[in-house]
Amino acid sequence: MKQLLLGLLFAIGTHTAHAQFSENHAIYGTMGLDVGNYFGANFGLNYTYQEKYSFRLEYNVRARSADSEPDDFNIGLGRALSFGLANPYDNIKTFQVTAGRIYKMNPKGTIRMNLSVGVGFSTISLPENWQSVEGTFLFSDNYTWDTYNYNTISFVISPKIEFPFTRHYGLSLSPVFQINKDRTYIGIGFEHMFGLIRKRS
């Protein structure tokens, strides 16, 4: 009887703690695509407090055709079979931290504005030192190249319109600005939201 009572009290306590946590806190993941002067993908971990304040950790990867690519560059058949994944691109990979303020656009909270800014640590990769290859074959590229990598700090502006349709799933749409001393990314992002997104309406 004592064990049953303790088990019941533990279950009630756990349920109450979970209910209190979900009323004031939300933790959820995001993943999506964005397109602009680069094409990219992102993965994020988000935390909100009282549906007013937001914090986000994100990793994103963005790529575009290399600015330095020779006009007569042709990829070999072997690289073509990779569906473009092995092509030489200008790349920006960023780990970023942002914080923001949430404003509900309707009473239920199923439409909200999440205005966030932050900083990121970016790694930029650029193809360079292109060398023409004579006598190339069907499977070979007609150029070789080196890749130059370096790191920089980026400033991030990412206001989002979020649609948390349910407590556990939603979508978001946002303009994205990522600025550093050498590169500026401007684009539109589309994301899936999943996890504990908002409290019960």
Side-chain angles (χ1 to χ4, degrees):
M1 185 66 177
K2 183 178 179 180
Q3 291 178 340
L4 180 61
L5 182 59
L6 287 174
L8 184 59
L9 288 174
F10 177 77
I12 293 172
T14 302
H15 176 75
T16 302
H18 176 72
Q20 290 175 345
F21 182 87
S22 63
E23 283 298 303
N24 292 308
H25 311 272
I27 298 175
Y28 57 95
T30 51
M31 64 179 182
L33 300 174
D34 50 62
V35 61
N37 53 339
Y38 286 75
F39 180 80
N42 61 74
F43 308 89
L45 178 64
N46 303 261
Y47 167 75
T48 65
Y49 177 66
Q50 293 185 341
E51 294 189 325
K52 291 183 179 180
Y53 306 101
S54 66
F55 302 90
R56 176 181 175 98
L57 299 176
E58 179 183 312
Y59 179 72
N60 58 62
V61 180
R62 298 187 174 108
R64 69 179 182 189
S65 297
D67 284 344
S68 61
E69 181 181 296
D71 292 336
D72 61 342
F73 171 69
N74 289 308
I75 60 174
L77 180 59
R79 196 179 298 276
L81 293 175
S82 71
F83 301 101
L85 296 177
N87 290 9
Y89 292 114
D90 290 348
N91 288 295
I92 303 178
K93 301 175 183 178
T94 304
F95 177 78
Q96 65 191 43
V97 180
T98 57
R101 181 70 162 85
I102 296 174
Y103 298 92
K104 292 183 180 180
M105 307 302 288
N106 66 354
K108 288 187 176 181
T110 55
I111 305 174
R112 66 193 189 193
M113 183 74 71
N114 187 349
L115 305 177
S116 60
V117 297
V119 294
F121 180 79
S122 298
T123 298
I124 297 177
S125 301
L126 305 172
E128 64 172 14
N129 193 27
W130 298 81
Q131 299 290 325
S132 178
V133 178
E134 299 296 331
T136 56
F137 296 96
L138 179 64
F139 286 91
S140 303
D141 304 323
N142 64 338
Y143 277 86
T144 63
W145 62 89
D146 298 323
T147 302
Y148 173 57
N149 300 303
Y150 68 97
N151 301 318
T152 189
I153 300 298
S154 297
F155 179 65
V156 180
I157 305 172
S158 182
K160 299 179 185 296
I161 301 176
E162 299 178 335
F163 303 92
F165 303 121
T166 72
R167 296 188 73 204
H168 302 290
Y169 179 75
L171 299 171
S172 75
L173 183 67
S174 67
V176 182
F177 305 92
Q178 181 177 308
I179 304 164
N180 58 57
K181 63 185 180 66
D182 296 314
R183 293 286 186 275
T184 297
Y185 170 75
I186 300 174
I188 298 291
F190 176 82
E191 292 182 333
H192 295 274
M193 307 162 62
F194 49 91
L196 181 57
I197 301 174
R198 62 178 174 88
K199 63 184 179 182
R200 297 182 187 277
S201 56

